[in-house]
Every structure is written in structure tokens, then in C-alpha cells.
Amino acid sequence: EVQLAESGGGLVQPGGSLRLSCGASGFTFSSHNMNWVRQAPGKGLEWVSYIGNRGRDVYYADSVKGRFTISRDNAKNSLYLQMNSLRDEDTAVYYCARDGLQSGYDFDYWGQGTLVTVPP
Amino acid sequence: DIQMTQSPSSLSASVGDRVTITCRASQSISNYLNWYQQKPGKAPKLLIYGASSLQSGVPSRFSGSGSGTDFTFTISSLQFEDFATYYCQQGYSTPLTFGGGTCVEI
């Protein structure tokens, strides 16, 4: 069974840093591209970042470019998101999502999410 | 960036109703369009990928169609467990973008 489990969320002051992790199991992690998607309270879904299966290709939303860094460790079946210079608008539930490789970029499995709170 | 415009933003329906949601892309995305269902407090769930392909395990009352810029998502006979928010997402190019969502209410 495919499972994704995020951790590392919490309360952080503006300008601070946080590192999210996503542990994967039930599939060959090194074969799948991975993503971070976030959802601000009461709002819609926003894609944050993508990393290719080998970690060479990375993409970011403009809203986080230069502040967030996505990475992965295939030996540990883990995905990471280093978040620096956090702002109140970064407050959201952060989901890791697997690329299903079915239709361009699609998200076929999601974790349960981890909440990041940056007070104004 | 490709903008995804989803409508309506909300709708009220009854069990057994046929429900249709539309999604329009600001430029052609071929058939790289996906649909998700999200229930309160839960992660989204992929229902339809490639505009019309049903994700494994998803009931056949869900369907999708369209290509280019205009897409449609249909629930043929709404069930109680289908009351949720639905999102379209373009998988054509980064930055990947979602529609604003459609809340299907009783």
C-alpha cells in the first residue's frame, strides 16, 4: 500500500525557517517524481514545488522561489522541503504528493498533510 | 502561467442528481487535465486523469471529457458520499495550477 507521511510542521515566527519531511513507503520511491502542494486555511490548492525522481530537475512556484528548497534522499525514501524567510502567507497545510506519471504531471497519492503556521 | 477557471464555485444538489462542473484553461493543455475530490480535513483524491481516464478504484459514476481549453467533469448520479469540493488541475506545464474549486453541497 502506498503511504506518504509528512512531518515537521509547526508554529514559526516571520522570517524563520522550517524543514518539512515526507516519508514514503509501499512503492519504489526512486522511480517517482514528487511534489509539495499547500492549502491555506479555507482556501484552494496551490502547487509549491516539484522534484524529478533522481533529484536533478526541480521547479518552484514563483511565490516560494528563492526561499524554499526541495530535495530528496532516495536511499531513505524521503522528500524534504526547506522553507526559509517564512511569511504569514505561507501559513497552510503542506501535502507531499506523488507524480502518478499518467498524464503529464498528476498527483495520484497524497500524504495527510502537516500544518505550518506563520503568525502575522 | 496557465490559469484554470472552474465553475461554478459552488452548487446545491440532491442525491441522485446529475452534476456537471466545467474547467477552462487560459491556453491549450491538450488532455493534461486532472480532477480531484477533497473532503473536509482530508487530502485530495485523484478521480480523473488525462481529462477522461478513471483512476483505479474510482466509481464509474464519475467521468470527465474535453481537450484543448474546455473540460467537463460529471457525476452521473450523486451519492451522499460525493458531497465534497472538486478541483481541476492542469498537468501540462509548470507552474502546475489548480482551478478555484467547486463545493458540492446538499
Side-chain angles (χ1 to χ4, degrees), chain A residues 100-115:
Chain A
L101 308 174
Q102 300 173 118
S103 171
Y105 305 90
D106 65 280
F107 312 122
D108 67 343
Y109 284 93
W110 299 63
Q112 84 286 352
T114 188
L115 177 63

Side-chain angles (χ1 to χ4, degrees), chain A residues 11-17 84-88 90 117-120:
Chain A
L11 176 66
V12 58
Q13 294 301 309
S17 297
N84 298 331
S85 304
L86 283 160
R87 307 166 179 166
D88 59 352
D90 296 318
T117 303
V118 186

